[in-house]
Amino acid sequence: MANHTLLLLSQDNAEYHALLKQAYLPGLTILAPREETEIQATLTRADILLGEPARIKARLRDARALKWAQSTYAGVDLLLGPGSRQDYMLTNVRGIFGPLISEYVFGHLLSIRRHLRHYREQQRHHDWQPIPYQSIHGKTMLILGTGSIGQHIAATARHFGMEVLGISRAGREAAGFDRTYQVQALNKVLPRADVVVSVLPSTPETRGLFNAERLSHIKPGGIFFNVGRGDAVDETALVQALRNGRIGAAVLDVFATEPLPTDSPLWDMPNVVITPHNAGYSFPDQIVTRFSRNYLKYIEGKPMEGLVNFDLGY
């Protein structure tokens, strides 16, 4: 059996190294050098890389033996732009973030609908003051992106008695959705949604999708979530829609520039929740389970999970 060399390029190298040694993967040498000279020397012979997309990108030019790179993130747009190297197999970890992102969306949605921030403030002042609220039961959620993350959110929404609409490139039926549409129908569907959730990847078609004109179709007072990619939203237009009340609240985990610049008006808006791109954290044990399955498929020449299509961008 052929031997393979894996170079770890992650912020969690030590943890990955320990977990992978316990996985007993046949014929695999695992390297996690810290010194730049060692990394450079290893790059010339490593045929497999595992790490965050930015760290992989920085090493692609020198990774002469590369055959396969496993990203620890679902989003790999950093490795897909024009002129990017494409002579290797790239796999991501799509499929493992559905439960985490679903928890995030409904944690924040229920917090907003049940005024939890206000009650916390009232408790501080010993103030007993009921605030009127509405149930999410019977409301409509529109999810942009009907893959595994979208389907998890949809299943949770159905549990709460919501109607669930979906938008995808092909508009095909998907588990958990009452109806799915192609992107061209977005302006017609947006006015029906009480809650809009974007889990879109970054592709040429999705960049700038939510511009000022598009945001004008959102149901007045609707709640907008972005847990996909920041470049799908024109932030200046979003600020305007939040200020004039077109959008009632926004929960944002991703931004055009990250970290979000300190002078962004979004920070100080009372109807905005900002989190630091951590709605779906890449837990090393989950990544190693995925990598191990993929490695066994790789050495047997079988199709791997999460294989990225360089042309489609996901």
Side-chain angles (χ1 to χ4, degrees):
M1 184 179 66
N3 288 321
H4 298 282
T5 301
L6 167 65
L7 174 60
L8 298 176
L9 294 173
S10 169
Q11 59 195 3
D12 302 312
N13 265 7
E15 198 171 348
Y16 278 115
H17 197 243
L19 289 165
L20 283 160
K21 282 207 312 200
Q22 292 166 13
Y24 302 112
L25 297 169
L28 184 64
T29 302
I30 305 156
L31 302 170
R34 293 182 185 175
E35 301 300 321
E36 181 60 29
T37 50
E38 284 184 84
I39 294 171
Q40 285 292 337
T42 312
L43 269 172
T44 59
R45 57 192 175 93
D47 58 327
I48 307 172
L49 302 178
L50 182 149
E52 294 88 41
R55 291 174 189 243
I56 291 173
K57 182 177 182 172
R59 304 295 182 180
L60 276 181
R61 191 172 56 84
D62 297 321
R64 278 173 242 146
L66 179 64
K67 295 284 189 292
W68 164 36
Q70 171 74 62
S71 165
T72 58
Y73 292 174
V76 289
D77 34 293
L78 278 178
L79 299 167
L80 299 177
S84 295
R85 182 174 166 183
Q86 299 185 1
D87 62 345
Y88 65 102
M89 289 187 290
L90 173 63
T91 53
N92 66 9
V93 286
R94 63 172 175 256
I96 70 172
F97 295 116
L100 292 173
I101 305 259
S102 186
E103 287 172 15
Y104 176 94
V105 168
F106 282 89
H108 287 289
L109 178 58
L110 293 168
S111 174
I112 290 167
R113 297 300 293 234
R114 289 301 190 107
H115 310 297
L116 299 194
R117 284 165 81 178
H118 295 283
Y119 284 123
R120 183 75 209 148
E121 194 57 27
Q122 286 185 184
Q123 183 177 338
R124 241 168 33 89
H125 297 292
H126 302 199
D127 184 9
W128 179 284
Q129 192 64 44
I131 306 167
Y133 65 86
Q134 288 186 321
S135 173
I136 61 172
H137 188 279
K139 300 296 183 190
T140 299
M141 175 177 280
L142 172 63
I143 304 169
L144 290 95
T146 60
S148 62
I149 294 174
Q151 288 173 29
H152 259 98
I153 299 168
T156 310
R158 293 281 286 272
H159 167 78
F160 280 106
M162 301 183 82
E163 180 189 21
V164 191
L165 309 176
I167 293 277
S168 68
R169 201 169 49 85
R172 279 194 292 269
E173 285 184 23
F177 290 85
D178 293 297
R179 291 285 305 277
T180 51
Y181 304 86
Q182 290 182 296
V183 179
Q184 294 88 308
L186 184 52
N187 287 359
K188 287 194 170 66
V189 184
L190 275 173
R192 295 168 51 188
D194 302 286
V195 183
V196 177
V197 182
S198 173
V199 293
L200 293 170
S202 177
T203 70
E205 291 76 40
T206 62
R207 280 174 211 130
L209 186 67
F210 283 99
N211 54 20
E213 196 276 329
R214 182 90 59 199
L215 292 171
S216 73
H217 292 277
I218 286 183
K219 188 177 193 175
I223 300 172
F224 180 79
F225 283 80
N226 192 5
V227 287
R229 275 293 177 264
D231 61 11
V233 179
D234 176 340
E235 285 170 12
T236 306
L238 179 63
V239 166
Q240 193 52 44
L242 284 157
R243 279 186 177 144
N244 65 25
R246 162 59 67 174
I247 295 178
V251 180
L252 308 170
D253 187 52
V254 291
F255 304 88
T257 301
E258 296 181 4
L260 180 65
T262 53
D263 60 354
S264 168
L266 289 166
W267 284 109
D268 299 306
M269 302 188 81
N271 52 348
V272 172
V273 175
I274 287 169
T275 55
H277 199 153
N278 68 343
Y281 175 65
S282 299
F283 290 101
D285 57 339
Q286 289 182 299
I287 308 290
V288 166
T289 300
R290 165 65 65 88
F291 175 84
S292 300
R293 280 205 308 266
N294 264 347
Y295 177 73
L296 297 175
K297 290 177 177 176
Y298 175 66
I299 61 177
E300 291 171 13
K302 293 179 178 174
M304 294 192 290
E305 295 173 50
L307 193 62
V308 174
N309 182 313
F310 282 104
D311 295 325
L312 291 178
Y314 55 88

